[in-house]
Structure formats: C-alpha cells, structure tokens
C-alpha cells in the first residue's frame, strides 16, 4: 500500500526527508511511504502564524498526491489540513495528532501530553476527550529543530517525568519532531509507562487500512 | 514480545484455539501470542448472564498468565475483566472493545457498530464517545457460533450495508467472532469504508507497546 507522507517542515537532505518514512516502513511491513515536504518552512510549525502559513501548502501537496497514493499521512501533531483534505479528497487522510490520541485512549485513563508550543494541539486535545489529564511544553525548545540537541533530549525526558509525577499513565508526544528523535522507547523504558509516538501512531492507523485490503 | 490472549469461548480444537493468535501474529511481526480459553462456555459471551459467568474465569486466567507474558489481550469486544485486571496486574491488559473504539475514532466521525447482542458493549460505546453514530445487531445470530455459517455471513454483510446507508463512515465489528470469520476486509471492499476488526485492533495496541521496547 502506497502512502504519501507530508512533512510540515522543509528538509533538503534526503536522509532527513525520509526519516519518518523509514520509521513507518520499519515498523509496518507492506506500507511504502513517500515523503514530501512543504516548501520554505525550515523551522516547520511552531506557532499560529507558521501553522497558518503551512495550511495551504499542505492542502496543495495533498491534492498533488491524491492520484499517486492510497492514503496520505500528515506528519504533524496539529493535523494541519487533515480535516480539509478529508473533505476534499477521495482517499483517507490520516493526522498524526488524532492517531496518537486514539491510541493513547486505549492505553490509559490519564494521558499526559508533551508539546513544543504554548498550547496543546486541538487534534490531540479533542481526540483524548475525558482521557486527557495534563500537558506541558518542553523548556528551551522553540521549534522541532531545537529537539535535536542534548538539551532538547534532556528537557524532553524531564518533562515526561514531570507528567508522570502528576499522574499520567500514558504519555503522548504531541510533535512529530519527537519521532525524528526516536525518544518514545527511551521515555517508556525510563518511566515504565506507554509512550505514544505520533508518526508511528499514524503508521498504525494506515496499517489498519492496509489490513482491510487483505482479502 | 509475549502476549497472553484470553478467549472468552471454550474451544477444544487447537486450530480454532489459535485462530485469533494467528491473526495477530500474521499481522504484527514480533508479537508471539499464546491463546488460553475460559472453561465450560462453548457458546462464549452472548448476554448479561454469560458475561457474568465469564468474568471470574477471565480474571483467574489473567492472574495465571501474569508471570508468563509481557501483556494480555482479552479477546472480547465487551472487555470482560479488562478494567479489573488492569487494576490488579503489573502488566498491560488490552481489551478488544476499547482498542477497536480508539482506532475507529481516528478513522471517522460517524461510527456504526455491528453486534451479536441486544446492546452495544459499553467498552465500545464509551470508547467511541461523540464519534458514535448507530449500532445494529446481526439478525438470526444468537452467539459467535452462529456467525460461522452462510446465513451469519450474509446477515453480517447486510447489517454493515444498513449501517453505511444510515451514514456510518467507519464500521466497528463489536464481537471477536467477526474476527474469526475474517469478514472485515470483505465489508471494507464491498462498502468502500474502513472496518475495524477487534482482534487486530487489540493486536495493533499490543504492537504499539512492542515498538516502545525497541530502544
């Protein structure tokens, strides 16, 4: 099954571009993932302005991908353009935010959410419903780029620990930059609670659709 | 990762016993699933009385499995004993009902639910929250056993079609007997909408836990 994956951050190096695709392909055999980045947003989405800027670009990419793939993943925890594309396109469009929330709801009753922004993405908040407990922003991180440093890693681990101390029985990583870091297993191991990686969550939902085709 | 799978229906033939295990192992590489049936319930769970009868048996099996596996799946859309076992045991206990609901919530906004009983399992209803649209019982089916016939198959397909006609954009199969039939891909193909198989949904959640271990 062919998946078009939309990155909401401009990447030049092919290795970096393909990272989310490799994560999904490695975990879910049979899914073939093709990455496409929106243009001119090297820092990705990190506030309302950058989200508004990305929206038409995501929609345009989705339209271009429609005839070439079986489903689209928008690799962004804010699910930018997902609702719009699902209304317009004839193929399923999967948001990483809603996927992570749906899976987290099955794993616990008090979900803690880690963000890189001053708010919790609405797709995650709405998806968690009554399972939502608390959210916290990683200190010293202004965009997904800042996660890729020792300080970004340490602060992410510390934030997760604070969320558990506040009663979280599951943690959702509400930025796909955390997937690039592959930090979910490290947190899960350190804290002993499940951690939901948004890119893998979206992959999991795409895989459900693929299993639907195994007739 | 070792998974203990509790069947809420007594099966003698090994092939039948292993069917849900094979479904999960075939879909999710790395999960090793060991099936265990509750005793003296050849017709499984099909009403309040049979559910009450099964509950202590599921709990006892869960206790026995605890030291032998990394996680437990209760292969029942009513999630019999899941809440109790999650409180008591030190390993995750995954219910097929809640798993199916969580995944369905990410795939659509108006979920239709097919049952074999005169009510919708509470684990599914609660898990769907505002995404729930409608539920319907398959005609002429009194227990999971009755699904395994031409009439059971036809009536299941017809029920799914009715749910779609009523506006369902996703269908949840709210009995793991539908998984035994492997009917999800057939409905998905026939109706062109995603169909969530409860056993595979539980497998998907177990797989999320396994990915958490890939450090």
């Amino acid at each position: 099954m062919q998946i078009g994956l939309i990155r909401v951050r401009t990447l030049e190096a092919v290795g970096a571009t393909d990272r989310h695709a490799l994560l999904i392909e490695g975990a879910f055999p049979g899914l073939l993932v093709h990455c496409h980045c929106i243009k001119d947003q090297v820092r990705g989405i990190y506030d309302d302005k950058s989200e508004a800027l990305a929206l038409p670009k995501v929609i345009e990419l989705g339209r271009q991908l429609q005839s070439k793939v079986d489903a689209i993943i928008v690799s962004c925890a804010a699910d930018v353009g997902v609702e719009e594309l699902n209304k317009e396109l004839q193929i399923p469009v999967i948001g990483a935010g809603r996927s992570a929330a749906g899976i987290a709801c099955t794993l616990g009753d008090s979900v803690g959410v880690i963000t890189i922004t001053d708010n919790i993405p609405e797709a995650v908040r709405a998806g968690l419903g009554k399972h939502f407990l608390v959210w916290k922003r990683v200190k010293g991180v202004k965009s997904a780029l800042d996660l890729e440093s020792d300080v970004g890693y340490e602060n992410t681990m510390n934030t997760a620990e604070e969320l558990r101390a506040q009663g979280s029985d599951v943690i959702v990583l509400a930025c796909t930059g955390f997937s690039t870091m592959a930090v979910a297993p490290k947190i899960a191991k350190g804290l002993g609670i499940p951690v939901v990686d948004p890119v893998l969550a979206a992959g999991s939902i795409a895989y459900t659709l693929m299993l639907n085709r195994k007739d």
Side-chain angles (χ1 to χ4, degrees), chain A:
Chain A
M1 183 162 153
Q2 308 285 334
I3 306 290
L5 184 142
I6 299 179
R7 293 287 308 251
V8 296
R9 182 179 149 196
T10 313
L11 296 161
E12 297 299 338
V14 174
T17 310
D18 281 333
R19 195 162 173 86
H20 290 187
L22 289 173
L23 283 170
I24 294 174
E25 288 181 348
F28 301 99
L31 293 183
L32 299 169
V33 187
H34 312 277
C35 265
H36 300 267
C37 297
I38 60 169
K39 288 202 197 316
D40 305 323
Q41 279 194 239
V42 290
R43 291 186 61 216
I45 293 174
Y46 49 90
D47 61 9
D48 288 348
K49 204 178 155 189
S50 55
E51 185 172 330
L53 198 65
L55 178 61
K57 300 179 191 175
V58 171
I59 293 175
E60 187 47 38
L61 260 182
R63 286 176 184 151
Q64 289 171 17
L65 286 170
Q66 183 178 204
S67 61
K68 297 169 191 155
V69 296
D70 301 302
I72 289 171
I73 288 174
V74 177
S75 192
C76 171
D79 287 6
V80 175
V82 170
E83 212 177 312
E84 292 86 347
L85 285 172
N86 261 318
K87 277 185 193 146
E88 187 181 320
L89 306 189
Q90 297 301 310
I91 58 173
V93 180
I94 300 162
R98 189 166 166 174
S99 301
I103 287 174
C105 282
T106 67
L107 286 167
D109 293 315
S110 306
V111 182
V113 179
I114 306 186
T115 74
I116 60 157
T117 53
D118 270 336
N119 60 348
I120 174 171
E122 181 51 28
V124 175
R125 180 64 192 87
L128 290 176
K130 65 185 173 65
H131 298 274
F132 171 71
L133 178 70
V134 62
W135 71 273
K136 201 168 174 68
R137 176 183 182 159
V138 179
K139 275 181 203 161
V141 168
K142 285 181 187 159
S143 79
L145 266 82
D146 301 327
L147 288 173
E148 295 163 28
S149 66
D150 288 349
V151 173
Y153 173 76
E154 266 170 49
N155 287 351
T156 299
M157 297 300 280
N158 292 339
T159 308
E161 205 160 333
E162 287 169 41
L163 291 178
R164 194 197 51 175
Q166 288 174 62
S168 306
D169 57 5
V170 179
I171 286 175
V172 167
L173 304 177
C175 170
T176 58
F178 294 116
S179 305
T180 312
M181 294 166 75
V183 77
K186 293 183 178 72
I187 301 174
K189 193 179 179 186
L191 302 187
I193 56 176
V195 179
V196 182
D197 176 299
V199 168
L200 291 175
S204 177
I205 299 304
Y207 196 59
T208 295
L209 295 176
M210 197 190 84
L211 295 174
N212 261 189
R213 294 169 169 234
K214 294 214 164 169
D215 198 2

